[in-house]
Amino acid sequence: MSFVTLAEAKLHLRVDGTDEDALIGLYINAAEQAAIKALDRGVYVDGTALGVAKAAAPGELDTAIAAYESAIAAAEALADETAKAASIQTAGNDLLRAQVAHRHAMDGMVVNEAIKAAVLLIVGSLYTQREDAVVGVSVEQLPNGAEWLLAPYRVYA
């Protein structure tokens, strides 16, 4: 699923050796997850992957709806009101997750250069800032960073 290769990230970071490959790979995965979360939509490596996701989404949603209806029916049969409420809440949460996954697939897009650049910026930030706190250093976020690159493709649902 990776949009950015290890070689691309290492070129961006100006890293030549292999000592930090696993760490950079972790940063790539985290950056891609953050970018997808910020976009609030599915992002796919190519049109084929997008097509597969869109084709599967309706069936997956239908399955989730059937599971929800079955879970609600089972919950209604429970005598314990606390257990009944918990079961109904769980079923509702599961259906909501399925609905979000459906929307992400149907609103999906193929990764583009702006998204890849945003991922590389996030990787660079993670690589450079390896701690939660910076002591004794002036830090300022640069304009036109990852958020700026991702904003035109964000779904506001």
Side-chain angles (χ1 to χ4, degrees):
M1 169 183 120
S2 198
F3 312 137
V4 173
T5 66
L6 180 62
E8 289 170 324
K10 288 173 72 171
L11 179 64
H12 176 75
L13 298 171
R14 296 185 174 102
V15 172
D16 292 324
T18 59
D19 293 347
E20 296 182 308
D21 284 3
L23 179 64
I24 295 168
L26 176 115
Y27 291 160
I28 292 169
N29 291 335
E32 289 178 351
Q33 290 171 15
I36 291 169
K37 180 75 173 161
L39 292 170
D40 197 22
R41 68 192 310 171
V43 181
Y44 301 90
V45 293
D46 57 30
T48 301
L50 174 59
V52 167
K54 283 188 173 190
E60 291 169 355
L61 183 59
D62 288 344
T63 300
I65 291 169
Y68 170 78
E69 291 169 350
S70 176
I72 294 298
E76 293 297 335
L78 294 174
D80 182 348
E81 290 300 316
T82 302
K84 179 190 247 182
S87 295
I88 290 171
Q89 181 67 44
T90 299
N93 289 343
D94 291 345
L95 179 59
L96 182 59
R97 278 190 286 278
Q99 289 169 329
V100 169
H102 178 267
R103 184 181 58 77
H104 282 184
M106 299 312 285
D107 288 341
M109 65 180 288
V110 175
V111 68
N112 60 32
E113 299 303 313
I115 295 169
K116 287 179 80 169
V119 168
L120 287 171
L121 287 173
I122 296 167
V123 168
S125 179
L126 292 171
Y127 184 80
T128 303
Q129 307 299 325
R130 296 184 186 207
E131 305 295 333
D132 275 346
V134 178
V135 178
V137 178
S138 175
V139 176
E140 185 175 334
Q141 186 161 345
L142 298 173
N144 303 338
E147 290 178 21
W148 180 79
L149 288 166
L150 295 173
Y153 307 102
R154 177 155 170 55
V155 172
Y156 295 93

